[in-house]
Amino acid sequence: MGANPLRGEAELRVGGDALVLRPSFAALVAAESELGPLFALVERAADGRLALSEMAALFWHCVKDRPAALTREAVGDAVVAGGLAAVTPALRVLLGQILQGR
């Protein structure tokens, strides 16, 4: 089942698989505990200062129904392999959800 934009979900391709990213409360709390305040994360992204590791961490925490075989390294590798242009739409959705809430 694909990402549902009405639920604020996005899609990320990792190793040929499409993962659904859902910025649930639990996912955002986990991301915030690792990355610091989410509004600061959004500000860094807006200023073009979001680190690759921060982006991969946000994606990792937001993977819905994370497959047991999926590793955090694979998520980071997918970000690098796909390039910033490929992952920007997913990042934009997640950052928008942080700002808007749903």
Side-chain angles (χ1 to χ4, degrees):
M1 198 173 221
N4 181 347
L6 297 176
R7 293 186 133 190
E9 296 175 344
E11 187 176 285
L12 178 68
R13 298 205 67 71
V14 176
D17 295 323
L19 300 176
V20 174
L21 303 177
R22 177 187 275 177
S24 67
F25 176 75
L28 294 179
V29 167
E32 188 170 54
S33 70
E34 178 180 343
L35 301 170
L38 294 179
F39 284 113
L41 181 86
V42 171
E43 287 178 349
R44 286 193 301 279
D47 291 342
R49 297 182 295 115
L50 188 65
L52 191 58
S53 61
E54 293 176 309
M55 187 183 317
L58 180 62
F59 289 161
W60 171 255
H61 289 294
C62 290
V63 173
K64 177 185 169 194
D65 302 326
R66 189 181 304 144
L70 182 67
T71 65
R72 188 168 175 155
E73 183 179 1
V75 172
D77 288 346
V79 170
V80 172
L84 293 178
V87 299
T88 296
L91 180 63
R92 189 171 286 142
V93 168
L94 295 181
L95 295 176
Q97 290 305 302
I98 290 169
L99 289 173
Q100 296 176 20
R102 286 217 181 193

mmCIF file of all heavy atoms in Angstrom, residues 14 17-18 21 25 28 55 57 59 61 64 68-71 76 78 86 91 94 100:
data_model
loop_
_atom_site.group_PDB
_atom_site.id
_atom_site.type_symbol
_atom_site.label_atom_id
_atom_site.label_comp_id
_atom_site.label_asym_id
_atom_site.label_seq_id
_atom_site.Cartn_x
_atom_site.Cartn_y
_atom_site.Cartn_z
ATOM 1 N N VAL A 14 13.917 2.657 -1.058
ATOM 2 C CA VAL A 14 15.124 2.105 -0.456
ATOM 3 C C VAL A 14 15.344 0.719 -1.049
ATOM 4 O O VAL A 14 14.513 -0.175 -0.857
ATOM 5 C CB VAL A 14 15.009 2.004 1.085
ATOM 6 C CG1 VAL A 14 16.237 1.329 1.677
ATOM 7 C CG2 VAL A 14 14.809 3.380 1.700
ATOM 8 N N ASP A 17 12.511 -0.891 -2.894
ATOM 9 C CA ASP A 17 11.235 -0.946 -2.180
ATOM 10 C C ASP A 17 10.749 0.463 -1.878
ATOM 11 O O ASP A 17 11.548 1.357 -1.580
ATOM 12 C CB ASP A 17 11.377 -1.702 -0.855
ATOM 13 C CG ASP A 17 11.716 -3.170 -1.060
ATOM 14 O OD1 ASP A 17 11.197 -3.768 -2.025
ATOM 15 O OD2 ASP A 17 12.493 -3.706 -0.252
ATOM 16 N N ALA A 18 9.451 0.645 -1.941
ATOM 17 C CA ALA A 18 8.848 1.926 -1.578
ATOM 18 C C ALA A 18 8.423 1.859 -0.117
ATOM 19 O O ALA A 18 7.605 1.021 0.257
ATOM 20 C CB ALA A 18 7.653 2.221 -2.465
ATOM 21 N N LEU A 21 6.557 6.875 4.687
ATOM 22 C CA LEU A 21 7.004 7.710 5.804
ATOM 23 C C LEU A 21 5.780 8.388 6.390
ATOM 24 O O LEU A 21 5.047 9.074 5.678
ATOM 25 C CB LEU A 21 7.995 8.764 5.323
ATOM 26 C CG LEU A 21 9.238 8.260 4.603
ATOM 27 C CD1 LEU A 21 10.088 9.425 4.133
ATOM 28 C CD2 LEU A 21 10.049 7.335 5.492
ATOM 29 N N PHE A 25 3.127 11.066 15.937
ATOM 30 C CA PHE A 25 3.613 11.698 17.160
ATOM 31 C C PHE A 25 4.817 10.940 17.706
ATOM 32 O O PHE A 25 5.846 11.537 18.038
ATOM 33 C CB PHE A 25 2.493 11.758 18.208
ATOM 34 C CG PHE A 25 2.945 12.318 19.519
ATOM 35 C CD1 PHE A 25 3.173 13.680 19.667
ATOM 36 C CD2 PHE A 25 3.153 11.499 20.613
ATOM 37 C CE1 PHE A 25 3.605 14.208 20.877
ATOM 38 C CE2 PHE A 25 3.582 12.012 21.822
ATOM 39 C CZ PHE A 25 3.805 13.371 21.962
ATOM 40 N N LEU A 28 7.925 11.498 15.554
ATOM 41 C CA LEU A 28 8.499 12.841 15.706
ATOM 42 C C LEU A 28 9.145 13.028 17.070
ATOM 43 O O LEU A 28 10.166 13.707 17.182
ATOM 44 C CB LEU A 28 7.435 13.899 15.433
ATOM 45 C CG LEU A 28 6.932 13.928 13.990
ATOM 46 C CD1 LEU A 28 5.853 14.994 13.829
ATOM 47 C CD2 LEU A 28 8.064 14.133 12.992
ATOM 48 N N MET A 55 18.661 14.378 7.833
ATOM 49 C CA MET A 55 17.607 13.972 6.915
ATOM 50 C C MET A 55 17.369 12.466 7.015
ATOM 51 O O MET A 55 16.227 12.009 7.119
ATOM 52 C CB MET A 55 18.005 14.353 5.479
ATOM 53 C CG MET A 55 16.926 14.128 4.468
ATOM 54 S SD MET A 55 17.454 14.503 2.770
ATOM 55 C CE MET A 55 18.350 16.019 2.947
ATOM 56 N N ALA A 57 18.070 10.519 9.503
ATOM 57 C CA ALA A 57 17.505 10.204 10.815
ATOM 58 C C ALA A 57 16.004 10.488 10.853
ATOM 59 O O ALA A 57 15.221 9.685 11.377
ATOM 60 C CB ALA A 57 18.223 10.994 11.909
ATOM 61 N N PHE A 59 13.947 10.493 8.311
ATOM 62 C CA PHE A 59 13.306 9.452 7.507
ATOM 63 C C PHE A 59 13.233 8.141 8.292
ATOM 64 O O PHE A 59 12.207 7.479 8.317
ATOM 65 C CB PHE A 59 14.065 9.225 6.196
ATOM 66 C CG PHE A 59 13.946 10.345 5.204
ATOM 67 C CD1 PHE A 59 14.870 10.468 4.175
ATOM 68 C CD2 PHE A 59 12.931 11.281 5.263
ATOM 69 C CE1 PHE A 59 14.779 11.476 3.235
ATOM 70 C CE2 PHE A 59 12.813 12.306 4.330
ATOM 71 C CZ PHE A 59 13.745 12.395 3.313
ATOM 72 N N HIS A 61 13.149 7.508 11.487
ATOM 73 C CA HIS A 61 12.154 7.518 12.562
ATOM 74 C C HIS A 61 10.726 7.518 12.023
ATOM 75 O O HIS A 61 9.811 7.050 12.709
ATOM 76 C CB HIS A 61 12.372 8.710 13.490
ATOM 77 C CG HIS A 61 13.593 8.571 14.334
ATOM 78 N ND1 HIS A 61 13.717 7.605 15.301
ATOM 79 C CD2 HIS A 61 14.756 9.264 14.343
ATOM 80 C CE1 HIS A 61 14.909 7.707 15.883
ATOM 81 N NE2 HIS A 61 15.554 8.715 15.315
ATOM 82 N N LYS A 64 6.996 3.954 8.398
ATOM 83 C CA LYS A 64 5.811 3.255 8.917
ATOM 84 C C LYS A 64 5.987 1.761 8.658
ATOM 85 O O LYS A 64 6.421 1.371 7.586
ATOM 86 C CB LYS A 64 4.566 3.783 8.203
ATOM 87 C CG LYS A 64 3.294 3.098 8.594
ATOM 88 C CD LYS A 64 2.148 3.613 7.754
ATOM 89 C CE LYS A 64 0.941 2.740 7.967
ATOM 90 N NZ LYS A 64 -0.082 2.968 6.974
ATOM 91 N N ALA A 68 11.719 -5.622 9.254
ATOM 92 C CA ALA A 68 12.747 -6.080 10.196
ATOM 93 C C ALA A 68 14.142 -6.048 9.579
ATOM 94 O O ALA A 68 15.124 -5.790 10.275
ATOM 95 C CB ALA A 68 12.415 -7.488 10.691
ATOM 96 N N ALA A 69 14.223 -6.300 8.285
ATOM 97 C CA ALA A 69 15.526 -6.347 7.624
ATOM 98 C C ALA A 69 16.075 -4.963 7.271
ATOM 99 O O ALA A 69 17.242 -4.836 6.906
ATOM 100 C CB ALA A 69 15.431 -7.196 6.356
ATOM 101 N N LEU A 70 15.252 -3.930 7.381
ATOM 102 C CA LEU A 70 15.695 -2.583 7.029
ATOM 103 C C LEU A 70 16.656 -2.056 8.087
ATOM 104 O O LEU A 70 16.402 -2.148 9.286
ATOM 105 C CB LEU A 70 14.497 -1.632 6.923
ATOM 106 C CG LEU A 70 14.820 -0.197 6.514
ATOM 107 C CD1 LEU A 70 15.322 -0.146 5.075
ATOM 108 C CD2 LEU A 70 13.595 0.686 6.690
ATOM 109 N N THR A 71 17.769 -1.515 7.615
ATOM 110 C CA THR A 71 18.732 -0.903 8.532
ATOM 111 C C THR A 71 18.747 0.609 8.335
ATOM 112 O O THR A 71 18.381 1.122 7.270
ATOM 113 C CB THR A 71 20.155 -1.441 8.289
ATOM 114 O OG1 THR A 71 20.593 -1.035 6.981
ATOM 115 C CG2 THR A 71 20.212 -2.957 8.426
ATOM 116 N N GLY A 76 20.083 5.709 4.929
ATOM 117 C CA GLY A 76 21.080 6.723 4.588
ATOM 118 C C GLY A 76 21.671 6.506 3.207
ATOM 119 O O GLY A 76 21.849 7.458 2.439
ATOM 120 N N ALA A 78 20.214 5.078 0.721
ATOM 121 C CA ALA A 78 19.181 5.411 -0.268
ATOM 122 C C ALA A 78 19.115 6.909 -0.503
ATOM 123 O O ALA A 78 18.905 7.356 -1.636
ATOM 124 C CB ALA A 78 17.826 4.882 0.191
ATOM 125 N N ALA A 86 15.815 13.561 -5.524
ATOM 126 C CA ALA A 86 14.859 12.454 -5.398
ATOM 127 C C ALA A 86 14.193 12.412 -4.029
ATOM 128 O O ALA A 86 13.045 11.990 -3.916
ATOM 129 C CB ALA A 86 15.562 11.130 -5.682
ATOM 130 N N LEU A 91 11.017 14.864 2.024
ATOM 131 C CA LEU A 91 11.445 15.769 3.083
ATOM 132 C C LEU A 91 10.484 16.936 3.215
ATOM 133 O O LEU A 91 10.097 17.320 4.320
ATOM 134 C CB LEU A 91 12.861 16.280 2.802
ATOM 135 C CG LEU A 91 13.430 17.250 3.833
ATOM 136 C CD1 LEU A 91 13.572 16.569 5.192
ATOM 137 C CD2 LEU A 91 14.762 17.802 3.360
ATOM 138 N N LEU A 94 7.344 15.855 5.079
ATOM 139 C CA LEU A 94 7.568 15.688 6.523
ATOM 140 C C LEU A 94 7.737 17.028 7.220
ATOM 141 O O LEU A 94 7.158 17.254 8.294
ATOM 142 C CB LEU A 94 8.783 14.791 6.777
ATOM 143 C CG LEU A 94 8.663 13.349 6.314
ATOM 144 C CD1 LEU A 94 9.925 12.580 6.648
ATOM 145 C CD2 LEU A 94 7.450 12.669 6.902
ATOM 146 N N GLN A 100 2.623 22.150 10.230
ATOM 147 C CA GLN A 100 1.168 22.221 10.227
ATOM 148 C C GLN A 100 0.536 21.356 11.290
ATOM 149 O O GLN A 100 -0.504 21.717 11.836
ATOM 150 C CB GLN A 100 0.619 21.785 8.870
ATOM 151 C CG GLN A 100 1.009 22.686 7.746
ATOM 152 C CD GLN A 100 0.514 22.130 6.414
ATOM 153 O OE1 GLN A 100 -0.374 21.322 6.371
ATOM 154 N NE2 GLN A 100 1.126 22.574 5.330
#
